[in-house]
Every structure is written in structure tokens, then in C-alpha cells.
Amino acid sequence: MKKSFSNHRGFTTVEFLGAALCGAIVLSALYGFYREQLFSLLLQETKTATLEDARGALDIMVRELRNAGSFPKGADATCLKDASGNPLRVVSASSTSIQIQADTEPTTGNGPDGACTETGERVTYAIGSGTDACPGPMTIKRNGNCLVANVVVSSKEPLFTYFDLNDVQLGGNPPLDAVKRIRIRFSVEVPDPTPQGKSLGKTIKSTLSSSVEFRNS
């Protein structure tokens, strides 16, 4: 026993290389696992961000479109009207843009006043081009301001699709008084942030759609 403890012989080269190889294998496995988890987390965060951007924009559009044509105190000369003198719910409409109006904001704090002059009472949503502050090949703008960036709209599924009272689809430039329901559909698409995704040109896309049926229609 005493002899074995007094043996000061070191490791051989083979033993040292073997231990180094085992350590390298373990470290390589741990690094690969960590790398995959990091990229998976990055992908999930990017997917969540695009979904939140799309959902936030869609919620705003749905809420304001649903309130279009609300005139609880009637409509004065500041509100656009049709040939019969009725206030317009939809001022203009196409597959890429829509303008609506409603009396929803008070001027004195006492509720709707019959006018259409306050901020937010005449709203235009339209597809626009990207900028440094609002990137992407397409964007959705609200009254000229960026609502959501990196927008993709399919040629088969336009941003706005219109339906009449019988749920018959109208054309891209529908009769304004015939519009009773609007379908909104768009995607938010950004480049894949992972090295492999970048090299292959992959993207991450979130697509949302919703239908708005006008109240009192």
C-alpha cells in the first residue's frame, strides 16, 4: 500500500490525449446543445414579435372599422354624406385602402357632438412603401403614419375584401352603400435571424385575418 502511494509517475501521453479527447467530445456536445437552444429561442422570440405586431395592428383596425358610421347625435356639415344627405360610413374603398368616418370624439368632453372634425373620426388605412423607420417592401399606414411594418399581402388575398348584406363578395372598388362586411388579411414577414436561416434566405411569417360586420347595417 505504501509503495503505491509513493509512486510519482505522471500520466502517459496516450492517457493525456485520451482525457483531452473525452473532454473535447463532452464540450462539443454541450456547445451544440446550447447553440441549438439559443437559435430555437431566437426563432421563437422573432415569431412572437411578428405575431404581436400583426395582432396589434389588426385589433386597431377592427375596432375602428366596427365603429364606422356611428353618429349618435346626427351628422353636421363637417361629415361627408351621400347624394341623399346621409352620412357616409365608408368614404372610399379599394382592395388596398379604405377611409371611414364616425362621430366618436367629443370636443368639449360631453360625448359625441355630431361633427367629424376631431382627430380619429376620419381614418384612412392604406398600403404604403417601407421607410427606415417603418421597414419592409410594404407597410400598413393609418392616416399616413406607420401602423405595422414588414407587411406582405397576397395577390389572391388582398388587404381588404368587401361583402354585401347577403354576404356576396363585391369587387375591389365596391359601391360604398353596399358594403356590410369587410375581411382584413395580411402577413408580417421578417428574415430568419439564425445563421443557417440567413444563408438560405429563410423568413418568418405570421398571417392574421378577421372580418368586421358593420353595426346597424
Side-chain angles (χ1 to χ4, degrees):
M1 179 68 70
K2 184 176 180 180
K3 182 178 180 181
S4 64
F5 277 107
S6 64
N7 186 358
H8 299 291
R9 187 181 61 181
F11 294 106
T12 65
T13 302
V14 174
E15 290 172 337
F16 179 79
L17 291 177
L21 177 61
C22 291
I25 292 173
V26 172
L27 289 176
S28 178
L30 289 176
Y31 173 75
F33 175 78
Y34 172 78
R35 187 171 182 269
E36 289 300 319
Q37 292 300 310
L38 180 62
F39 289 164
S40 177
L41 178 60
L42 187 59
L43 282 172
Q44 188 61 40
E45 287 181 343
T46 304
K47 177 72 173 179
T48 300
T50 60
L51 186 59
E52 287 179 349
D53 288 347
R55 182 176 292 133
L58 184 64
D59 287 346
I60 292 173
M61 296 170 72
V62 167
R63 183 176 66 250
E64 291 192 319
L65 287 174
R66 188 169 287 134
N67 287 330
S70 174
F71 299 99
K73 288 190 175 182
D76 67 10
T78 66
C79 300
L80 299 176
K81 300 179 177 66
D82 60 20
S84 300
N86 300 312
L88 289 169
R89 182 195 306 271
V90 180
V91 177
S92 64
S94 72
S95 60
T96 58
S97 68
I98 186 172
Q99 185 180 61
I100 57 173
Q101 68 174 356
D103 178 24
T104 57
E105 299 291 336
T107 55
T108 61
N110 295 321
D113 54 5
C116 294
T117 56
E118 287 79 59
T119 301
E121 293 191 332
R122 192 171 295 158
V123 178
T124 300
Y125 290 106
I127 292 178
S129 56
T131 63
D132 290 340
C134 190
M138 287 188 289
T139 63
I140 296 177
K141 295 185 177 181
R142 178 187 182 276
N143 288 346
N145 299 315
C146 180
L147 180 66
V148 60
N150 299 301
V151 170
V152 176
V153 177
S154 168
S155 58
K156 296 182 180 179
E157 292 284 350
L159 178 60
F160 299 113
T161 305
Y162 304 95
F163 300 85
D164 65 11
L165 185 61
N166 297 315
D167 214 32
V168 176
Q169 184 173 331
L170 304 173
N173 295 285
L176 301 181
D177 58 350
V179 177
K180 302 301 179 184
R181 183 171 71 87
I182 303 173
R183 184 175 66 211
I184 310 167
R185 181 182 175 87
F186 65 93
S187 302
V188 174
E189 185 175 26
V190 297
D192 187 323
T194 64
Q196 183 179 8
K198 289 180 180 179
S199 65
L200 296 176
K202 291 184 177 180
T203 60
I204 298 175
K205 180 191 291 186
S206 294
T207 302
L208 290 180
S209 65
S210 183
S211 287
V212 180
E213 188 169 343
F214 288 137
R215 294 171 178 172
N216 303 318
S217 60

